[in-house]
């Protein structure tokens, strides 16, 4: 065989090998997209009618940050689905009002525990005592704060930065780990339990100008995933929920749209996904939004274009009244 012919055969083999590799890669990518699409349909659409029976987890649900916003709506929705609910939050009068309303509307029992989650270890004794005699099936770690509210502020420009850092670390991260420490042992003893942790799309990728908040939400994501991996074989499901924008005090009650969800709609849809996926954006519209946004590289999200979009958003929410609770 001439050396020219041999080299032609070699290059043809290389070409065919590369073509095969390309075809396999493309098929893999396509199959992954199809799988994700089918999974998305199951988790976010079919779950309206075909979802996990949460009552199997137990009789009581505990919700932190339950006097307003998403937490309040989780508590109401859990009561509608047959749970007695422990509401834990900062403002006694708001807690009492929500508890009374839940009891009136659903006939379920409630218990309230007033604490400020920006506190340290000392606040958890009161919570442990308040939960001691209960059969807790579901824990929703919802509470979180952004001391700067909706304002996009560079790290060093945040007012009262020293305190704001401690508040976010204690409220957004410490509470999640400590509440889990309190509730998990009994769940393990009964070999069943659901822990839902509210992270954020800001925990999915770094969000500039919300630096500490974004980092605390990444903690919630990692904590949830590791915990789920540790305990899933022992009957415990841990779900991390990562919303985009929901109209609450935290977002200055921005007008709801197709993508900006009302808190009650968000909580209902997010609860439908519990037990079906351990990492959810919470609702169909946020899943679509995040799928598009997070396929973009981080450099694009942190580019000037997005800065301009942020400014538009700031202008929009700046016209709204400031929240009382932040
Ligand atoms: N809203 C969104 O667009 C959005 C997006 C992504 C993720 N999230 C996450 O979803 C969760 C709920 O957010 P949200 O928008 O519903 O917030 P929100 O409307 O500000 O409500 C927060 C709840 O937590 C309570 N709370 C605040 N600070 C507290 C403290 N120091 N100690 C005890 N309780 C405290 C509030 O109680 P009082 O007001 O009664 O004192 C209220 O019940 C958070 O984890 C947040 O990070 C929200």
């Amino acid at each position: 065989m001439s050396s020219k012919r041999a080299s032609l055969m070699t290059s043809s083999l290389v070409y065919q090998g590369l073509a095969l590799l390309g075809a396999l890669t493309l098929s893999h990518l396509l199959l992954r997209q199809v799988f994700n699409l089918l999974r998305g349909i199951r988790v976010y659409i079919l779950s309206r009618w075909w979802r996990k029976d949460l009552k199997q987890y137990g009789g009581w649900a505990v919700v932190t940050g339950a006097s307003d916003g998403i937490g309040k709506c989780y508590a109401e929705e859990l009561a509608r689905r047959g749970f007695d609910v422990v509401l834990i939050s900062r403002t006694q009068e708001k807690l009492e009002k929500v508890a009374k309303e839940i009891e009136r509307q659903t006939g379920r029992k409630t218990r309230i525990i007033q604490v400020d989650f920006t506190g340290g270890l000392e606040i958890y004794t009161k919570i442990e005592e308040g939960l001691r005699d209960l059969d807790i099936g579901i824990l929703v770690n919802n509470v979180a704060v952004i001391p700067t509210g909706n304002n996009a502020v560079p790290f060093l420009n945040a007012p009262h930065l020293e305190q704001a850092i401690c508040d976010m670390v204690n409220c957004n991260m410490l509470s999640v780990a400590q509440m889990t420490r309190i509730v998990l042992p009994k769940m393990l003893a009964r070999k069943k339990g659901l822990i839902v942790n509210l992270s954020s799309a800001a925990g999915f990728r770094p969000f500039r100008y919300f630096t500490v908040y974004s980092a605390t939400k990444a903690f919630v994501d990692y904590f949830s995933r590791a915990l789920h991996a540790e305990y899933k074989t022992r009957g415990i499901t841990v779900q991390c929920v990562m919303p985009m924008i929901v109209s609450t005090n935290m977002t200055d009650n921005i007008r709801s749209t197709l993508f900006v969800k009302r808190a009650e709609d968000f909580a209902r849809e997010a609860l439908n996904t519990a037990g079906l996926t351990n990492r959810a954006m919470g609702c169909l519209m946020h899943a679509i939004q995040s799928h598009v946004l997070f396929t973009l590289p981080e450099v694009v999200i942190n580019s000037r274009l997005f800065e301009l979009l942020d400014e538009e958003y700031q202008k929009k929410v700046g016209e709204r009244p400031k929240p009382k609770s932040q």
Side-chain angles (χ1 to χ4, degrees), residues 52-70:
K52 203 148 186 180
D53 173 22
L54 299 181
K55 273 303 283 172
Q56 62 167 299
Y57 288 117
W60 281 84
V62 177
V63 183
T64 67
S67 51
D68 221 323
I70 298 172

Side-chain angles (χ1 to χ4, degrees), residues 108-124:
R108 303 311 312 181
K109 283 187 247 158
T110 64
R111 187 177 281 190
I112 57 178
I113 304 175
Q114 186 277 324
V115 286
D116 185 341
F117 279 108
T118 59
L121 270 186
E122 69 286 352
I123 66 168
Y124 293 95

Side-chain angles (χ1 to χ4, degrees), residues 250-266:
M250 189 177 268
T251 48
D252 290 353
N253 298 304
I254 182 174
R255 188 165 50 83
S256 55
T257 63
L258 191 61
F259 289 109
V260 175
K261 298 293 284 188
R262 295 186 322 149
E264 50 269 48
D265 297 335
F266 180 82

Side-chain angles (χ1 to χ4, degrees), residues 12-26:
S12 155
L13 275 177
V14 169
Y15 178 76
Q16 282 175 23
L18 284 175
L20 185 67
L21 196 65
L24 284 174
T25 310
L26 198 64

Side-chain angles (χ1 to χ4, degrees), residues 41-57:
I41 290 171
R42 169 72 184 97
V43 170
Y44 295 109
I45 299 175
L46 298 182
S47 62
R48 282 165 208 203
W49 308 279
W50 178 24
R51 55 183 183 242
K52 203 148 186 180
D53 173 22
L54 299 181
K55 273 303 283 172
Q56 62 167 299
Y57 288 117

